[in-house]
């Protein structure tokens, strides 16, 4: 029990990471809270863990996500203060989109800043997450009426590093339709470009047919010649299947997604849609409205608790769409690409760090035109070998970095030496 894993919001990617670390790193013990009432978890989980975590001399490392107020916890439990404290940011509250500026609750971002100050190592799942957090601290603190602290970003930055979220990509071959199995066979998974900050805006080859006049010129995507199985051409006559696998919340901008689909419907274009992802207490009204208007196009609707069923649904889809206004990594998009979906993402947030330029759109109109073209010619995506470096985000690639991070002393000693100097 040398590694103490604490997760105040045990759901989604937070759950995936805790489960993966427990399974793959020796001597871990975890304490969690269900993924409900996020705001209360952020406010009060330290008090819960104060009582729930038994005292033990065997703990060496404390690993937690930024939902927990780590400063409160180590004040309440001084025995945990001596551990190497690792704080992992799946997201950050300093740039979380709110519908009105006065709705932003100062407490959540403030908690995260305090947690960084007491942590020994602060790990972010992407460069975008790290830089957006550090560069926003000063502006965020200006909302305080007076006696504002200064230069906190300079205290926090030396502790920071980027460590991408690790995904254990399952074997989905048995779920893939014939045309996707063929594309899997021509992918060269051992040739990759490292997904680091240095490759932001990297481009991949693309097919000339994919270029839309209103978009920037794109290079050419390689379509490998493959033999066609029986029924292959019949598959290309089936409607384009679009999947949206995100949380049903306003920061994922479901409004834009459904508005785009309704435009496709108005033009009498043929398509099917699957709307997956988790739901929480407050589901935007647009979901019930869209379900009624798109009823004839729906293939799947709602969260799939079974991971196998979820992967099957992704494998049957052609295009995966993000309309997010708030994304610091995007596990669902990468899982969909692994299942053979063509990705369409905003040219913003974390996406340019992960996806080549051909998969990015800059405006709602560009998104609509891409989907319109794919509805008319679904073979464009069904013949396409997706050029996204999944290997860079796999547990096979990142596992050793996480094991090193959860080692007891190295990073903490380096951080303490830096602070002392």
């Amino acid at each position: 029990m040398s590694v103490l894993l604490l997760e105040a919001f045990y759901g989604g990617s937070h759950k995936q990471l805790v489960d993966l670390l427990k399974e793959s790193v020796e001597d871990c013990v975890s304490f969690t809270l269900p993924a409900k009432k996020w705001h209360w978890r952020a406010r009060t989980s330290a008090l819960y863990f104060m009582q729930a975590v038994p005292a033990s001399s065997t703990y060496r490392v404390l690993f937690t996500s930024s939902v927990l107020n780590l400063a409160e916890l180590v004040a309440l439990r001084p025995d945990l203060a001596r551990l190497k404290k690792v704080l992992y940011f799946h997201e950050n509250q300093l740039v979380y989109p709110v519908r009105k500026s006065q709705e932003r609750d100062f407490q959540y971002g403030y908690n995260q800043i305090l947690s960084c100050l007491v942590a020994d190592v602060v790990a972010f799942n992407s460069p975008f997450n790290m830089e957006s957090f550090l560069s926003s601290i000063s502006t965020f603190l200006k909302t305080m009426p007076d006696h504002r602290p200064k230069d906190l970003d300079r205290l926090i930055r030396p502790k920071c590093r980027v460590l991408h979220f690790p995904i254990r990509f399952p074997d989905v071959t048995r779920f893939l339709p014939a045309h996707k199995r063929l594309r899997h066979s021509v992918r060269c998974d051992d040739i990759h470009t490292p997904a680091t900050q240095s490759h932001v805006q990297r481009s991949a080859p693309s097919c000339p047919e994919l270029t839309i006049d209103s978009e920037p010129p794109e290079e050419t995507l390689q379509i490998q010649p493959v033999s066609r199985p029986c029924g292959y051409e019949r598959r290309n006559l089936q409607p384009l299947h679009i999947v949206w696998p995100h949380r049903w919340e306003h920061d994922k901008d479901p409004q834009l997604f459904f508005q785009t689909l309704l435009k496709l419907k108005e033009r009498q274009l043929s398509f099917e849609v699957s709307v997956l992802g988790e739901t929480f207490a407050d589901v935007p009204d647009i979901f019930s409205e869209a379900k009624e208007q798109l009823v004839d196009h729906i293939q799947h609707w709602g969260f799939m608790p079974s991971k196998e069923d979820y992967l099957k649904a992704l494998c049957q889809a052609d295009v995966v769409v993000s309309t997010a206004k708030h994304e610091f990594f995007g596990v669902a998009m990468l899982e969909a690409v692994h299942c053979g979906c063509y990705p369409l993402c905003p040219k913003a947030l974390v996406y340019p760090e992960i996806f080549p330029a051909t998969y990015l759109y800059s405006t709602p109109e560009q998104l609509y035109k891409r989907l319109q073209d794919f509805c008319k010619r679904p073979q464009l995506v069904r013949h396409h070998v997706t050029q996204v470096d999944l290997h860079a985000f796999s547990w096979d690639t990142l596992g050793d970095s996480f094991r090193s991070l959860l080692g007891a002393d190295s990073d903490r000693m380096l951080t303490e030496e830096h602070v002392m100097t």
Side-chain angles (χ1 to χ4, degrees), residues 5 10 14-24 30:
L5 305 174
Y10 186 59
H14 295 237
K15 181 181 186 298
Q16 278 186 246
L17 182 55
V18 169
D19 290 349
L20 185 55
L21 294 178
K22 284 179 63 178
E23 177 185 336
S24 307
S30 67

Side-chain angles (χ1 to χ4, degrees), residues 105-331:
D105 190 320
F106 183 84
Q107 184 68 43
Y108 307 127
Y110 182 66
N111 285 358
Q112 292 185 331
I113 292 171
L114 291 181
S115 293
C116 288
L117 290 170
V118 301
D120 297 299
V121 183
V122 183
F124 293 83
N125 58 2
S126 68
F128 170 71
N129 195 0
M130 182 175 76
E131 292 303 328
S132 65
F133 179 79
L134 292 171
S135 64
S136 299
I137 290 174
S138 178
T139 302
F140 178 79
L141 293 176
K142 285 180 181 177
T143 59
M144 295 171 60
D146 54 19
H147 299 289
R148 304 180 188 100
K150 296 179 180 179
D151 299 327
L152 295 188
D153 56 317
R154 295 185 184 180
L155 291 176
I156 294 170
R157 184 176 285 275
K159 307 178 182 187
C160 296
R161 62 160 65 180
V162 173
L163 188 53
H164 292 297
F165 184 94
I167 305 173
R168 179 161 280 167
F169 293 106
D171 181 4
V172 295
T173 308
R174 66 193 185 281
F175 302 143
L176 295 172
H179 71 287
K180 285 192 177 184
R181 286 199 298 273
L182 285 169
R183 281 160 37 193
H184 259 46
S185 70
V186 300
R187 280 196 65 152
C188 189
D189 287 334
D190 59 344
I191 300 176
H192 300 284
T193 302
T196 63
Q197 194 170 5
S198 63
H199 82 281
V200 172
Q201 300 292 343
R202 79 173 189 262
S203 60
S206 65
C207 172
E209 292 179 297
L210 300 183
T211 302
I212 305 298
D213 292 341
S214 62
E215 297 180 356
E218 296 169 353
E219 298 175 9
T220 298
L221 243 191
Q222 296 174 343
I223 298 179
Q224 305 285 350
V226 292
S227 60
R228 309 297 190 214
C230 179
Y232 190 88
E233 295 304 328
R234 185 168 62 251
R235 169 70 187 176
N236 284 326
L237 297 176
Q238 294 177 1
L240 184 77
H241 187 172
I242 304 165
V243 64
W244 193 86
H246 312 286
R247 282 186 290 107
W248 291 22
E249 294 187 297
H250 80 94
D251 63 295
K252 300 304 181 184
D253 204 353
Q255 192 84 27
L256 171 59
F257 177 69
F258 291 125
Q259 285 174 350
T260 304
L261 293 192
L262 290 172
K263 284 178 67 176
L264 297 175
K265 179 185 175 182
E266 287 171 8
R267 302 292 173 88
Q268 298 184 332
L269 293 167
S270 182
F271 66 92
E272 296 175 343
V273 62
S274 291
V275 180
L276 312 177
E278 288 189 83
T279 59
F280 297 95
D282 298 319
V283 175
D285 293 339
I286 186 64
F287 284 93
S288 57
E289 297 167 7
K291 184 178 182 181
E292 184 176 330
Q293 296 178 72
L294 295 169
V295 63
D296 295 333
H297 297 268
I298 293 171
Q299 183 70 241
H300 301 285
W301 191 273
F303 177 63
M304 292 183 167
S306 164
K307 188 72 172 183
E308 183 168 295
D309 290 343
Y310 175 70
L311 292 171
K312 284 179 183 177
L314 292 180
C315 286
Q316 295 304 312
D318 298 309
V319 178
V320 59
V321 175
S322 170
T323 46
K325 297 184 289 186
H326 176 240
E327 190 58 80
F328 297 102
F329 187 69
V331 174

